[in-house]
Amino acid sequence: MFKLRKSKFILLALFTILSVLSYILLYFSSEIHELYVYYTFHISYLFTESISQLKAYYPKFYLIVFLFTRLIKYGIPFLILLLLYKKRHFIKSFINLFKIKDEIHWWKTPIFFFFINLCIALTCYYVSFYGEFIPQLYLSKLFLIFQLVFLGLFYAINFKQINATLSAFLLKPILPYNISIFRVVFFLYLIFIYISFYLQYAKYLDGLQRVNLPFLGWLIQILPISSHYYLYAVVLGVIASIFIAFGFKTRFFLFLNAFIVFYVIATPNFFGKLEHRQIIIWISWIMTFSSCYDVFSIDSFLHKKTIYKKGDYSFHLKIIWLHFGMIYFFAGFYKLWLGGFDWALSNSMINQMYLEWFEHYNKIPTFRVDNFPFLLMFGGLLVILFELFYFAFLFHKKTRWISAIGGIIMHNVIGYFMYINFLIFLQVLYVVFIPWNKILSKLKLIKKSFPSVEPTISFKKFSVSIPLLILGVNFLFGVFRIDSYPFSVYPVYSAIVPDTFKYFEYKILDEGYEGVNVHELGKQHDFRWESYSRFEPEIINQYEETGILDTNRIVQQWHRWQIAIPLLSEADNVSVYAVEVFLEPEKQQDTICIYKLMDL
């Protein structure tokens, strides 16, 4: 059982009281804003105007006003600093509340505070009638700010112990079988996706307009891109991956593949639609700087290396684990920061599912979970909590299985109901969590005792600094929500989805196309309309709000349909209509509005 020390109880009580007071103040946010406006307009000038300007306003007692306002402006902060100095023992006592005293269970304090604060925030949310009286988005942001402040103070005061824990986690000496088997599996998988997915992209590259990405526009415009170049790159990537999987000249082919994997996976995203598969590039680059070929490779057989337990074999795998944690953390964080508690606890949760059904040509699962809205909302809240805590579960072997198995369960449940499962480009990579060292030891296929090398870390070594740099840059891209290649934030799915949806309907006027339903053809040809459908309400809303119609993007949308469906490639006369419908399947027959946008 978790027992709170007196000091921890005081700390938690203090932050709990502060959070309650903040939520109460949030309730009166409109009144506070009015007071602030009043102060800014009627009073603040007294503290900023010069003595000559005050003399013009108050010729008789300007000196009194000047001295009094400056005393408040500079005297009160000085008195506070003096009081803090006099009561510095109190500050030390406060800092001591944060200090880790239980080296084993120190992590329980921030987790306990998280759930206490969450209960308070949810209580305020429901008491205020689902965020109607207290602005629910401010409520969720304040909740997150409290967590970040608490964790920041906790880390700042205990950085030595926490850094030691992180170092022990990253550099735990292990045998090389984990990373070597992952090398084999990952690069065999890379061969599969090169051939199965990216070989076909070659025919789609010609005729599309390049669109710049953040920090990458310069490269997108000068990079040689053609069907022939792309095809050669895929073939070369397959050859390099074969050599890496078998472990022959592994270091050379790892570096060669590092360039190829970027070109092959990133290039299709330079034309206006991002497919979030960056983690394949990240893993390829991290593995490039690892010693993943010390066993189960032709190189190890030829050089006959002695096997040690080393931190190097653990470090690169743990960096990959942390990338998974980072992907999920920002997804959970931004659901609360951008969508608030309404993301999970309002009708938006149901509408998100309806939208996915609609984008998959009204594909509705057998079990209608939308008939159980409470279950959906509870599941939405669990998704947020799981995403926020995913990385925390990774740090202990007793909870690591929660991240691995929980992630697979979450993706497959969401995949069943919403057809978003990331099966090929994320779930498959969960193989990185399999403890091959332990499995081989249990099966008595390897010895149990091996000499260890003391874990050391040097930031001067590229094998350490480059993986950390990749992790750090991706973290910054997550903080600032930057979508790009190869570094990027992954989709956070934070939108509050309304009851209706706007999209393009195409009417072909050419002879022989009478009665052709473009969306029905898309369904028959397995065209992934959901990959591009969210562009359409953006274009329509922009037109309705500003009167400016982005004709180029509409042409690009139609061009995607033509590429995917050969029958449409001969259509020359097409009218594009804006249509708005209800997302609920039973109401979609009742079109809200429809009007013509343009002729192609």
Side-chain angles (χ1 to χ4, degrees), residues 352-584:
Q352 288 179 62
M353 188 173 59
Y354 286 157
L355 179 55
E356 294 296 335
W357 294 356
F358 181 74
E359 290 174 329
H360 285 79
Y361 308 105
N362 290 315
K363 182 181 178 182
I364 301 174
T366 305
F367 178 67
R368 291 289 297 268
V369 71
D370 54 312
N371 293 327
F372 306 92
F374 173 79
L375 188 62
L376 263 177
M377 294 175 186
F378 179 70
L381 190 60
L382 282 182
V383 166
I384 291 175
L385 292 176
F386 177 75
E387 289 176 335
L388 288 175
F389 280 95
Y390 187 100
F391 76 95
F393 292 136
L394 295 173
F395 288 100
H396 200 285
K397 62 182 180 182
K398 289 185 178 180
T399 57
R400 200 167 294 148
W401 64 272
I402 299 176
S403 292
I405 297 176
I408 292 173
I409 292 173
M410 179 186 73
H411 281 299
N412 282 281
V413 170
I414 294 175
Y416 176 79
F417 289 113
M418 301 177 70
Y419 316 117
I420 309 172
N421 55 26
F422 288 104
L423 176 62
I424 301 299
F425 294 100
L426 190 64
Q427 287 190 70
V428 170
L429 302 175
Y430 270 58
V431 70
V432 74
F433 294 108
I434 298 177
W436 295 109
N437 290 333
K438 185 178 291 187
I439 292 172
L440 294 177
S441 179
K442 291 279 186 183
L443 296 175
K444 299 182 179 179
L445 296 176
I446 60 173
K447 296 187 299 182
K448 288 190 175 182
S449 59
F450 286 90
S452 294
V453 176
E454 283 297 318
T456 57
I457 187 166
S458 172
F459 292 102
K460 295 180 181 179
K461 293 171 61 177
F462 285 136
S463 61
V464 172
S465 58
I466 298 298
L468 286 175
L469 180 64
I470 295 169
L471 181 66
V473 175
N474 278 318
F475 180 79
L476 290 176
F477 274 58
V479 169
F480 296 104
R481 290 187 62 235
I482 300 172
D483 251 343
S484 189
Y485 259 85
F487 306 108
S488 180
V489 64
Y490 255 58
V492 297
Y493 297 104
S494 61
I496 299 296
V497 181
D499 296 331
T500 64
F501 186 70
K502 299 173 183 178
Y503 68 101
F504 295 158
E505 192 72 71
Y506 303 96
K507 184 178 180 181
I508 304 176
L509 306 177
D510 295 292
E511 186 177 350
Y513 284 90
E514 296 84 358
V516 170
N517 187 315
V518 172
H519 283 81
E520 189 61 35
L521 284 176
K523 180 179 179 180
Q524 294 172 11
H525 286 79
D526 295 321
F527 172 56
R528 287 178 56 85
W529 178 49
E530 75 275 11
S531 296
Y532 313 102
S533 57
R534 306 293 170 94
F535 294 149
E536 297 178 11
E538 289 179 12
I539 298 168
I540 295 170
N541 287 333
Q542 180 189 19
Y543 174 63
E544 292 177 346
E545 292 169 7
T546 66
I548 300 172
L549 185 62
D550 194 337
T551 56
N552 183 53
R553 291 181 72 189
I554 295 176
V555 171
Q556 289 288 302
Q557 287 288 92
W558 173 243
H559 186 52
R560 291 185 173 103
W561 286 91
Q562 288 184 305
I563 290 174
I565 306 169
L567 178 63
L568 302 179
S569 60
E570 301 297 326
D572 296 321
N573 301 301
V574 181
S575 294
V576 184
Y577 291 82
V579 183
E580 183 176 8
V581 297
F582 288 104
L583 284 172
E584 187 176 347

Side-chain angles (χ1 to χ4, degrees), residues 88-354:
R88 56 188 180 276
H89 64 280
F90 172 80
I91 299 174
K92 290 181 180 178
S93 300
F94 178 75
I95 292 174
N96 285 333
L97 295 177
F98 282 87
K99 285 189 175 178
I100 295 173
K101 295 182 177 64
D102 187 342
E103 297 292 339
I104 298 176
H105 301 293
W106 60 269
W107 48 269
K108 291 185 177 180
T109 299
I111 290 177
F112 185 74
F113 171 71
F114 176 91
F115 283 102
I116 288 290
N117 204 11
L118 178 64
C119 289
I120 296 169
L122 289 177
T123 301
C124 292
Y125 177 80
Y126 282 111
V127 167
S128 64
F129 296 95
Y130 304 95
E132 182 179 349
F133 297 133
I134 299 178
Q136 70 91 22
L137 193 56
Y138 292 162
L139 188 67
S140 61
K141 286 184 176 181
L142 190 61
F143 164 74
L144 290 171
I145 289 170
F146 263 99
Q147 304 309 131
L148 294 175
V149 170
F150 184 93
L151 290 174
L153 288 171
F154 193 77
Y155 175 76
I157 293 170
N158 300 285
F159 70 94
K160 287 185 178 179
Q161 295 95 320
I162 294 175
N163 285 348
T165 302
L166 289 173
S167 296
F169 166 74
L170 289 173
L171 295 173
K172 181 181 178 182
I174 63 171
L175 292 171
Y177 300 105
N178 278 358
I179 195 166
S180 293
I181 294 178
F182 179 68
R183 181 203 82 237
V184 175
V185 174
F186 176 76
F187 283 98
L188 288 176
Y189 156 80
L190 198 54
I191 294 169
F192 165 73
I193 65 168
Y194 275 149
I195 296 173
S196 301
F197 290 90
Y198 288 98
L199 198 60
Q200 62 181 335
Y201 272 105
K203 62 182 180 182
Y204 296 140
L205 297 179
D206 296 327
L208 290 176
Q209 182 179 351
R210 302 188 194 190
V211 178
N212 289 340
L213 291 173
F215 304 103
L216 205 65
W218 61 275
L219 181 60
I220 291 174
Q221 297 305 324
I222 66 172
L223 195 67
I225 299 174
S226 71
S227 297
H228 295 297
Y229 289 148
Y230 192 81
L231 183 61
Y232 296 150
V234 172
V235 172
L236 194 57
V238 170
I239 295 171
S241 297
I242 291 172
F243 279 98
I244 296 168
F246 283 96
F248 181 69
K249 300 293 182 182
T250 319
R251 177 68 76 187
F252 169 76
F253 285 106
L254 280 169
F255 274 99
L256 178 62
N257 182 72
F259 294 97
I260 296 169
V261 74
F262 169 75
Y263 184 83
V264 170
I265 293 180
T267 296
N269 299 275
F270 298 161
F271 302 96
K273 174 65 177 77
L274 288 186
E275 295 285 350
H276 287 86
R277 300 168 183 176
Q278 292 94 335
I279 193 170
I280 299 172
I281 302 175
W282 303 342
I283 293 175
S284 298
W285 287 1
I286 292 167
M287 293 292 284
T288 299
F289 295 91
S290 72
S291 301
C292 60
Y293 45 83
D294 284 356
V295 294
F296 296 144
S297 68
I298 296 173
D299 289 339
S300 64
F301 177 78
L302 294 175
H303 296 93
K304 301 199 181 293
K305 282 191 172 185
T306 304
I307 298 175
Y308 295 97
K309 284 185 176 181
K310 294 197 297 185
D312 290 349
Y313 300 137
S314 175
F315 176 77
H316 297 86
L317 289 178
K318 301 291 178 62
I319 293 293
I320 295 172
W321 292 2
L322 291 178
H323 271 93
F324 277 89
M326 184 174 57
I327 288 171
Y328 289 111
F329 173 78
F330 284 116
F333 180 88
Y334 281 115
K335 283 181 177 67
L336 286 180
W337 188 262
L338 300 175
F341 292 111
D342 274 357
W343 185 89
L345 303 176
S346 72
N347 286 337
S348 175
M349 192 69 218
I350 303 171
N351 292 336
Q352 288 179 62
M353 188 173 59
Y354 286 157

Side-chain angles (χ1 to χ4, degrees), residues 49-60:
E49 299 285 18
S50 66
I51 191 168
S52 59
Q53 291 169 322
L54 288 173
K55 185 176 181 179
Y57 300 146
Y58 311 103
K60 292 184 178 180

